[in-house]
Amino acid sequence: MKLSVAVAGEHAPADAFVVWRGFEHSAEKAAELGFHGVELALKEAGDVDPGKLASLLTQYGLQASCISTGQVFAVSGLYFTHPDESVRARTLAVFEGLIDLASDFGGLINVGRARGYYAEGQAPEQTERLFVDTCRTLCDYAAPHNVTIMIEPVNRYEINFINSVAEGAELLSRVERDNIGLMPDTFHMNIEDVSIGGALAEHAEYVKYVHFADSNRLAPGQGHLDFDDVLRGLKTGGFDGWVSIEILPKPDPDTAARQSAEAVLPMVERYNAGRL
Ligand code: LER
Ligand code: MN
């Protein structure tokens, strides 16, 4: 298991769930605190210069853990189940650009609310069909690039489609591709799943990466989630991937990051040593 932290460019919207903004600033701070990688929250591939990004990561001894795409939905308004075919085509083009980038940076793409949602005037079966078809198209594009697509279950107060890990697993079983999986987020799981550790163990075949945040979306340790239960569930499933801090930058970005590193780096060490 390795630890990452979600960061974005300077112009990311105020409500993006990232600790720091500005890639240079973020990389320097992440390395200082002992994170192993950074999760890059992007709107499109053009947000970064791949050459500059590669030298920045080398300079600070960091890896790119994944590319996350919350802004594709929140800023650009693009999503898989849009009723308009031309919007779906633009969505595919943006994701294909991000997949090209991910082939050199982490090999993992997150899909949050860009998966789409149940909408008035669209039959639920049609929403699900568009979701499955788009996943298949993107997985087939991503496979030769060795990139995996990860759908993130998100709680019911943010979206009405794929809220729990169990719902995500059911939908993904219909996609029938090897390079698709889930990115559970402990904040959302606390709202939606019957048991956090239980669901992580039960659906381990799909669990590729995990967002760590406490019950109040602050740094792990600042709320009431039982992270021992999370770790035990992951261990039962044989998980050996990235966990990434995706929290509100409160009380301020540096404090939130430091609290996260101080709480989670020892967990990662215990996990990797098999001491749970
Ligand atoms: C994104 O990773 C996330 O967790 C969502 O809450 C964003 O809407
Ligand atoms: Mn998340």
Side-chain angles (χ1 to χ4, degrees), residues 17 110 113 152 154 158 185 188 211 217 246:
F17 295 106
N110 143 285
R113 290 176 298 167
E152 178 175 359
V154 167
E158 295 187 44
D185 177 322
H188 301 303
H211 272 163
R217 215 157 196 171
E246 192 208 35

Side-chain angles (χ1 to χ4, degrees), residues 222-266:
Q222 302 301 312
H224 55 75
L225 284 195
D226 177 359
F227 279 92
D228 283 340
D229 171 55
V230 175
L231 295 177
R232 279 193 300 269
L234 290 171
K235 196 55 137 183
T236 305
F239 181 77
D240 189 26
W242 287 95
V243 298
S244 182
I245 301 298
E246 192 208 35
I247 56 174
L248 297 171
K250 289 183 177 177
D252 60 79
D254 290 351
T255 305
R258 186 180 39 74
Q259 289 171 336
S260 301
E262 284 177 2
V264 184
L265 281 169

